[in-house]
Amino acid sequence: MKSTEQHLLELNPQQREAATHAEGPLLVVAGAGAGKTKTIAHRILQLIHGGVPPQHILAITFTNKAAKEMRDRVTHLLGESRDTRYEARKQEAGVKSQEPIISTNPVTPMPYALCPMPSSLPFISTFHALGVQLIKENAAILGTTRYFTILDKTESLATIKRALKALGLNPKEEEPQVLSTIISREKNKLVTVDDFGRQESESWRHETILKTWKKYEELLREQQAFDFDDLILRPVLLFRAHPEILARYQERWRYLHIDEYQDTNVAQYELSRLLATKYGNICVVGDTDQSVYGWRGADYRNILHFEENFPGARTVTLEENYRSTQIILATANEVIKKNKLRKEKNLFTKRGEGEKIELYEALDEGDEARHVAKILEKLLGTGTPPTECAVLYRANFQSRVLEEALLVRGVPYQVLGTKFYERKEVKDVLAFVRVALNPNDREAFARIVNVPPRGVGAVSLEKIQSGREAELPEKLRAKLYDFRAILKRVREALGQEKLSDALKQVVRISGLEKMLTEGSEEDEERLLNLKELVTIATKYDALPREEQLDTFLTETALLSDQDSLMEKGSGVRLMTIHAAKGLEFAHVFIVGLEEGLFPHERLGSTRNPQEEAEEERRLFYVALTRAKQKLHLSYAASRTIFGSRHANLPSSFLDDVADEVVEFESGIGNSNISGRGGGWEEDVITWDSLGKR
């Protein structure tokens, strides 16, 4: 029979130290594969054992996948603890095994460890889901509807293009993608459009950015929409402007846990700091060596300066790795120790030395891809599950030649980022739901006003959305009347039916079912995808009626690339190294290890060169530590990039991979390049010298 503290015996001494630290700030420096999620989950359980009500505990991470994993672990631990303590109480009271416990004196409190576990759970979510929750709960103060729209990147960019056109500017000349990046970067630094307007700048583009940003915000307000960056910015501004609201949430969440703290940006740091200010019970978990999102605003200095920002903090370092072999860890340690901007640690494992690292020297990208496909075919043929194999690359363009080689060999694969919710027919159904709930959602309206086709062209749409519908032909106005009647029926179905049944009605009422049934074989496949959407919706039917639609819309709007792995699919995983962060596989192939590609050469970047170089090294460290059993590294002597053939030097990262742990193989043949990089430094390699084929 487990005792209350028996769960702590599952932890190593350092994990236990972190799990039992209850009051005050705590920094957990957790190396790759060191059991950080397990540690957080046990710490939450320990807090509840100590008398903290679950509803006073908040845990935040970055991806839905990570949040689900943490939620599942906590739920499992709480359920296991509840069962154990329930049985212990029965034994204490001398009650027979099959009899329920009835407290005869509810006024006299029992020791907390013997009380039944509360039914409520801690609030565990992503940063952006937390932001959505805060905005919805304060929608009236923020001047929006509870069913506000969350624009994805494509819709946000489309809104910026509309802003440019409204200002009489040409989107083709003003680079809307650049403007979107600048606005996003400023919002992540908690800079509002008014703040930006007060900045002094000699840049000739400053005025254009300011005008576009102002118009962009105006369009967002009109359609009661927020972009992803607003989901953190707006709650921070709300807390700063309304201390009484902040105080309410500080009381609600007295114990904070922030996972992947090295990936927080300025806005996320400030949101965390504000919530933790009153009680100071903030536990952050992270690893400077895995900070790889500087290009999108993450600031690894948040974790470096944690002890300064939260005086009196305790620091615990988790160095025992439960994922990889010692050869993999020794290589990763050797690679990362060259970085200066980090918290010192040295990963180790009790799993044994493991297999040597394979290093393949390819003639070109085609040779490299064929080699990877051949090895994968062998692995799958000997019983390795395809989902235990991953091919990682630095840039998305590298996937094409890999896919071709895998197809030739008949190796099943899944490219991370090809998400179910990005399919046209799925986005169409979600757009019907969005417009039914928020008639001001211009982007969703534009998407479906012609689905099925109603003869609404670009000119007609512009007239509709600018309030000049009376100028349209009578026949088209009649079709629009019918379209709005459809939206009304959709709204009624959403308000009356459980979610899965409501979505069935949306597919039928919208005309999508009829259109796809009468279409091609491809349309039949699309209809199957809509049926799958309804199936997915059934998991939300178990929630309270008022939460089903809210939760569904929030989760589908905030999906990340990694969530595509949670869909059906059993193939080898192909993905960028950035997308692989947080995942693990038995066999990991890291391709394209060439100077200029990985480490990547960012031409024209304004970031600090040392910081960029260290981030590239951290990215290689992340790639290495995804592997549990064996690493397969490769580089190509030449590669075609943007239509031009380039001769390559092997990545400088390979200098840190010890010869004694490498099994080297070359695919170049009888060229003057042989051995492990032997001729690269002495000879000038050109494409002609390698021989075309």
Side-chain angles (χ1 to χ4, degrees):
M1 183 68 65
K2 279 188 178 181
S3 68
T4 302
E5 305 305 322
Q6 191 170 351
H7 76 98
L8 295 174
L9 299 178
E10 301 174 19
L11 308 178
N12 67 37
Q14 291 73 33
Q15 292 172 330
R16 197 175 305 128
E17 181 182 357
T20 54
H21 177 86
E23 303 295 322
L26 171 66
L27 168 62
V28 180
V29 180
K36 63 183 178 64
T37 304
K38 178 180 181 180
T39 303
I40 296 174
H42 280 267
R43 183 174 192 272
I44 289 172
L45 178 61
Q46 185 67 13
L47 287 172
I48 295 172
H49 279 178
V52 177
Q55 61 269 26
H56 286 332
I57 300 173
L58 172 68
I60 311 173
T61 187
F62 276 82
T63 67
N64 286 312
K65 181 179 180 296
K68 181 181 184 302
E69 181 183 354
M70 189 181 296
R71 197 178 298 117
D72 289 347
R73 281 180 181 253
V74 170
T75 302
H76 173 75
L77 285 174
L78 290 176
E80 191 176 66
S81 177
R82 181 190 299 113
D83 294 342
T84 298
R85 287 152 65 186
Y86 186 78
E87 292 298 326
R89 277 192 59 206
K90 289 201 290 187
Q91 285 193 4
E92 183 88 6
V95 179
K96 292 181 181 178
S97 177
Q98 302 301 317
E99 296 176 1
I101 295 177
I102 301 174
S103 176
T104 56
N105 188 3
V107 178
T108 304
M110 295 182 186
Y112 192 83
L114 296 182
C115 293
M117 189 64 68
S119 58
S120 59
L121 290 170
F123 190 95
I124 301 173
S125 81
T126 64
F127 261 108
H128 288 98
L130 172 65
V132 170
Q133 179 83 3
L134 294 172
I135 292 172
K136 284 185 175 180
E137 291 182 2
N138 298 278
I141 295 173
L142 292 169
T144 189
T145 171
R146 183 175 177 82
Y147 292 110
F148 61 84
T149 294
I150 302 171
L151 298 185
D152 62 25
K153 291 180 181 178
T154 302
E155 293 167 329
S156 177
L157 185 61
T159 305
I160 286 177
K161 290 177 181 177
R162 283 203 293 116
L164 287 169
K165 290 178 181 177
L167 294 169
L169 300 172
N170 187 347
K172 293 182 179 179
E173 295 177 359
E174 298 299 337
E175 299 180 289
Q177 182 62 65
V178 174
L179 295 174
S180 175
T181 299
I182 292 171
I183 292 170
S184 175
R185 180 191 67 204
E186 295 300 315
K187 286 187 175 185
N188 285 330
K189 293 192 295 186
L190 294 176
V191 175
T192 66
V193 65
D194 293 334
D195 297 330
F196 189 77
R198 288 190 288 268
Q199 293 177 359
E200 293 184 10
S201 175
E202 297 180 1
S203 169
W204 63 273
R205 297 210 65 188
H206 187 271
E207 189 60 30
T208 299
I209 297 168
L210 179 60
K211 288 192 299 184
T212 306
W213 191 351
K214 283 183 176 178
K215 190 63 180 177
Y216 173 66
E217 293 297 332
E218 182 183 319
L219 294 175
L220 290 181
R221 285 192 297 273
E222 283 180 5
Q223 57 183 328
Q224 295 188 309
F226 295 91
D227 60 30
F228 267 41
D229 305 308
D230 286 326
L231 301 181
I232 309 297
L233 172 65
R234 297 301 172 187
V236 170
L237 297 180
L238 174 73
F239 287 163
R240 287 178 173 179
H242 298 274
E244 73 285 0
I245 295 177
L246 171 60
R248 190 168 76 235
Y249 287 102
Q250 288 172 335
E251 289 298 326
R252 180 189 296 185
W253 296 314
R254 301 183 185 186
Y255 294 83
L256 276 68
H257 301 77
I258 315 292
D259 192 13
E260 303 288 6
Y261 193 65
Q262 77 281 348
D263 291 336
T264 53
N265 58 32
V266 172
Q268 290 159 341
Y269 161 77
E270 182 63 7
L271 180 62
S272 308
R273 187 194 67 80
L274 287 169
L275 287 171
T277 294
K278 182 170 183 179
Y279 290 102
N281 298 321
I282 179 170
C283 166
V284 305
V285 184
D287 180 7
T288 48
D289 295 338
Q290 297 186 71
S291 178
V292 294
Y293 294 113
W295 51 276
R296 70 180 190 194
D299 192 343
Y300 64 91
R301 288 169 295 192
N302 288 340
I303 195 167
L304 287 177
H305 298 161
F306 182 81
E307 289 108 329
E308 299 171 28
N309 295 333
F310 296 92
R314 177 186 290 185
T315 299
V316 177
T317 303
L318 307 183
E319 296 178 297
E320 182 174 356
N321 177 285
Y322 295 90
R323 174 188 301 159
S324 308
T325 64
Q326 189 58 45
I327 280 180
I328 293 170
L329 295 181
T331 302
N333 287 333
E334 192 65 26
V335 164
I336 204 63
K337 74 179 185 182
K338 286 189 175 180
N339 277 9
K340 306 299 181 187
L341 307 171
R342 62 188 294 259
K343 291 274 188 182
E344 188 64 37
K345 68 179 185 312
N346 194 59
L347 295 180
F348 70 93
T349 185
K350 297 175 183 176
R351 293 192 61 211
E353 185 172 303
E355 299 182 56
K356 285 189 174 184
I357 297 170
E358 178 200 76
L359 176 59
Y360 183 72
E361 177 186 56
L363 176 64
D364 57 18
E365 69 269 28
D367 180 30
E368 179 185 52
R370 288 189 292 274
H371 175 77
V372 169
K374 181 178 70 174
I375 299 299
L376 284 168
E377 184 182 38
K378 287 181 180 177
L379 287 171
L380 270 55
T382 55
T384 301
T387 52
E388 279 294 330
C389 302
V391 184
L392 311 184
Y393 36 81
R394 180 63 182 82
N396 277 305
F397 78 85
Q398 294 173 255
S399 71
R400 181 193 60 80
V401 67
L402 290 163
E403 290 185 66
E404 291 175 358
L406 293 174
L407 285 169
V408 169
R409 288 273 180 178
V411 175
Y413 68 88
Q414 179 184 12
V415 181
L416 190 70
T418 307
K419 295 193 284 289
F420 176 79
Y421 290 96
E422 288 182 350
R423 295 182 172 110
K424 179 186 181 302
E425 60 277 9
V426 174
K427 293 190 80 168
D428 287 345
V429 169
L430 295 178
F432 271 100
V433 173
R434 282 169 48 175
V435 178
L437 297 174
N438 178 10
N440 296 314
D441 190 334
R442 291 173 62 103
E443 297 301 328
F445 181 90
R447 182 179 186 89
I448 58 167
V449 69
N450 223 23
V451 177
R454 295 183 179 85
V456 180
V459 175
S460 298
L461 178 62
E462 195 280 327
K463 288 181 179 180
I464 295 168
Q465 295 195 322
S466 62
R468 295 183 292 136
E469 200 170 309
E471 299 176 16
L472 298 174
E474 183 178 346
K475 188 175 181 180
L476 184 53
R477 291 203 306 272
K479 289 183 179 180
L480 286 172
Y481 178 85
D482 292 340
F483 174 65
R484 292 196 171 97
I486 288 172
L487 292 176
K488 181 181 178 183
R489 291 173 62 195
V490 167
R491 188 161 50 248
E492 290 171 350
L494 292 170
Q496 297 169 4
E497 309 275 357
K498 64 182 180 182
L499 182 62
S500 59
D501 287 343
L503 290 186
K504 283 182 191 175
Q505 292 294 325
V506 173
V507 173
R508 191 169 299 121
I509 294 167
S510 65
L512 279 167
E513 183 179 50
K514 184 174 186 294
M515 181 181 76
L516 296 177
T517 301
E518 297 173 353
S520 62
E521 287 185 17
E522 187 178 343
D523 288 330
E524 290 180 16
E525 181 69 25
R526 288 175 176 167
L527 185 58
L528 288 175
N529 288 334
L530 295 186
K531 291 180 178 179
E532 178 65 16
L533 179 66
V534 173
T535 300
I536 292 170
T538 59
K539 75 177 183 179
Y540 297 88
D541 290 344
L543 295 173
R545 182 69 189 83
E546 64 277 7
E547 294 179 20
Q548 292 176 16
L549 187 57
D550 257 12
T551 307
F552 173 74
L553 290 176
T554 298
E555 290 189 1
T556 53
L558 300 181
L559 289 172
S560 68
D561 283 348
Q562 286 194 2
D563 293 304
S564 64
L565 289 185
M566 298 164 70
E567 299 168 12
K568 292 179 179 177
S570 59
V572 171
R573 307 321 199 189
L574 272 61
M575 67 190 83
T576 64
I577 300 165
H578 282 100
K581 189 168 174 293
L583 304 177
E584 58 181 43
F585 306 90
H587 289 261
V588 169
F589 295 75
I590 307 174
V591 299
L593 279 164
E594 300 133 30
E595 202 68 14
L597 178 57
F598 194 24
H600 192 267
E601 183 180 23
R602 290 190 183 92
L603 298 176
S605 174
T606 57
R607 294 177 59 203
N608 181 292
Q610 181 191 1
E611 292 187 1
E612 283 211 353
E614 293 210 357
E615 182 160 315
E616 285 295 302
R617 186 167 286 277
R618 291 194 294 268
L619 193 58
F620 186 46
Y621 173 85
V622 166
L624 294 172
T625 53
R626 299 311 93 200
K628 295 187 288 186
Q629 183 177 327
K630 188 172 179 68
L631 274 168
H632 308 257
L633 311 181
S634 60
Y635 59 87
S638 69
R639 185 179 299 274
T640 301
I641 300 177
F642 295 118
S644 299
R645 173 68 61 177
H646 298 268
N648 305 312
L649 292 173
S651 171
S652 54
F653 293 152
L654 294 175
D655 296 339
D656 300 320
V657 182
D659 287 340
E660 58 268 23
V661 301
V662 168
E663 294 174 331
F664 179 78
E665 182 182 350
S666 177
I668 292 178
N670 296 321
S671 75
N672 63 336
I673 306 167
S674 61
R676 191 190 157 198
W680 292 95
E681 295 180 4
E682 295 92 8
D683 301 329
V684 176
I685 306 302
T686 65
W687 165 235
D688 290 334
S689 72
L690 297 175
K692 298 177 183 178
R693 66 183 214 172

